[in-house]
Amino acid sequence: MVGSSFSFSVLGEAAAPQPNPGLRVTHHSPDQTADVTSAPNVWLYVPAGKSPTPFLSDEKITTIWEGFLSVDLRGDYAFQAELNGHLKLEINGALILETSETNSSLSKPIRLSKGTNAFRATFDRPTQGDAFLRLNWKPKGSFLQPIPATAFSH
């Protein structure tokens, strides 16, 4: 047909997948079994002799939070943990904080890029007592505070 115009649309084009809110949390037991879930933030409380999940025994369990930490503007942030256990915090592949102190000192400030930053926190339970962890941050020029749940995705 002369003078006719056709328009085509591509079916099945998928939009880029949106990240899920929170962090991916994996509880590992010594026998290499694992339970995977998600959590809005880096926090944990497990009474002595109990398991953080009904799917694993109360043996020594390592918990790993993985995902992305997002900030609106590039800036410097320091991190601090309240815990009973051992924490290793890595951001963008760099070791930021490793501690077993009940109330850790502030880490050295790290420059976070605008947008997403790779995030990984590994927590090992203590040999005695309740296991607990709460991670905080201190943006430059601000005060120590909980990391907002909206900053995490996976």
Side-chain angles (χ1 to χ4, degrees):
M1 294 170 99
V2 177
S4 298
S5 65
F6 296 97
S7 65
F8 295 95
S9 65
V10 178
L11 297 177
E13 278 188 27
Q18 294 297 314
N20 294 316
L23 295 166
R24 178 182 174 188
V25 182
T26 306
H27 303 285
H28 292 277
S29 69
D31 68 0
Q32 300 303 314
T33 56
D35 181 29
V36 180
T37 187
S38 63
N41 212 320
V42 180
W43 56 47
L44 180 72
Y45 174 79
V46 183
K50 300 290 183 181
S51 174
T53 171
F55 302 108
L56 300 174
S57 68
D58 62 350
E59 300 172 26
K60 184 164 176 54
I61 293 176
T62 297
T63 301
I64 301 172
W65 291 261
E66 294 177 292
F68 300 99
L69 176 60
S70 299
V71 293
D72 292 333
L73 298 172
R74 182 180 67 169
D76 295 331
Y77 294 79
F79 293 83
Q80 182 267 345
E82 299 168 30
L83 70 150
N84 185 25
H86 180 83
L87 173 68
K88 181 178 175 183
L89 175 63
E90 299 167 281
I91 298 177
N92 293 328
L95 180 61
I96 306 306
L97 180 65
E98 187 164 11
T99 186
S100 294
E101 297 176 40
T102 301
N103 285 308
S104 76
S105 303
L106 277 174
S107 69
K108 290 182 180 177
I110 180 177
R111 172 77 38 108
L112 296 181
S113 302
K114 176 182 177 180
T116 58
N117 297 270
F119 182 92
R120 180 182 173 103
T122 305
F123 178 73
D124 292 309
R125 292 179 67 161
T127 54
Q128 294 181 335
D130 297 346
F132 64 89
L133 170 63
R134 181 170 45 199
L135 185 65
N136 300 299
W137 72 358
K138 182 183 179 294
K140 185 176 181 178
S142 189
F143 54 89
L144 190 63
Q145 56 194 280
I147 302 169
T150 55
F152 289 118
S153 64
H154 71 283

